[in-house]
Amino acid sequence: MSAVLSAQVEMMPMGHGDVDEMLAVERAVYPFPWTRGNFLDSIASGYSSWGCRVAGELVGYYVLMLALDEAHLLNLSVTEKRQGMGFGAGLLRHAMRSARRGGAMMMLLEVRPSNDKARALYRHFGFQQIGVRRAYYAADAGREDALVLQHPLAEVSA
C-alpha cells in the first residue's frame, strides 16, 4: 500500500454486521463465491476474520482458521478496483502475523490453478506447493483442482 493511502487504511475484525459487505465483495470477484452461510458459519466458529477499509470502504478481507500449530487461510479477497495496489499483500501479511501470534507454525491454503493473481501473491511471500486436491472447486466446465500451498511462519516477510 502506498504511503499516501496508509493514513486512511484501517485493519479491523469483521463480524456479523459486516457479512453483507463481505458478501458483496465476494460476489463481485468470484464466479463461485462463498455464501452468506459460509461467512456466518466461519464467524460463529470463531475463525479470525479481518477486513481492510480505506476511508470506511471495505476493500478486502480474510478468514483464517487456527488449529493447534497450523493456520488455514480459508478466504482472502480484494475488490477488483483495488487489486494490484498492495492490499492483498497487506491482508496476507496481517493474516500470517496473526496466525503466528496465535501459535501457528505453518500456514496452509488452497488456490485455483487459474487464479494467476493469487498464485503470484503467494509465490511472492514464499508459499510452496505441497499437493493438489482434485476437483475441489466448482467451475464453469465441471470442477477445478486446488493447489495446496504452505508456508512456515517462523518468519513473516515480504
Side-chain angles (χ1 to χ4, degrees):
M1 288 174 275
S2 73
V4 174
L5 288 178
S6 62
Q8 303 172 5
V9 175
E10 291 181 277
M11 290 292 297
M12 55 188 43
M14 304 297 278
H16 288 96
D18 302 299
V19 169
D20 286 341
E21 286 179 286
M22 295 166 76
L23 198 53
V25 172
E26 185 80 6
R27 288 176 176 162
V29 297
Y30 293 118
F32 299 94
W34 269 25
T35 65
R36 177 179 303 281
N38 293 135
F39 285 108
L40 293 173
D41 289 348
S42 293
I43 292 166
S45 295
Y47 298 163
S48 182
S49 300
W50 283 81
C52 178
R53 294 184 181 276
V54 174
E57 173 194 355
L58 182 65
V59 300
Y61 54 85
Y62 70 82
V63 179
L64 180 72
M65 177 181 69
L66 293 172
L68 300 174
D69 63 347
E70 290 183 354
H72 193 141
L73 186 64
L74 301 175
N75 192 328
L76 189 151
S77 301
V78 175
T79 61
E80 192 167 3
K81 74 178 184 178
R82 298 289 188 161
Q83 291 179 9
M85 300 173 71
F87 292 105
L91 284 159
L92 182 56
R93 190 176 298 107
H94 190 277
M96 293 171 75
R97 289 179 177 152
S98 176
R100 186 68 185 108
R101 282 190 304 273
M105 299 301 294
M106 181 72 60
M107 181 176 279
L108 299 165
L109 61 88
E110 291 88 16
V111 64
R112 289 176 184 266
S114 62
N115 191 339
D116 294 331
K117 289 179 183 178
R119 289 179 57 213
L121 173 67
Y122 300 135
R123 201 170 26 255
H124 174 76
F125 274 78
F127 279 81
Q128 298 292 316
Q129 183 177 335
I130 60 166
V132 175
R133 297 191 199 281
R134 300 280 175 219
Y136 186 78
Y137 291 112
D140 288 330
R143 308 290 298 176
E144 183 176 2
D145 293 345
L147 305 178
V148 182
L149 308 182
Q150 75 172 6
H151 189 290
L153 296 175
E155 291 185 20
V156 178
S157 59

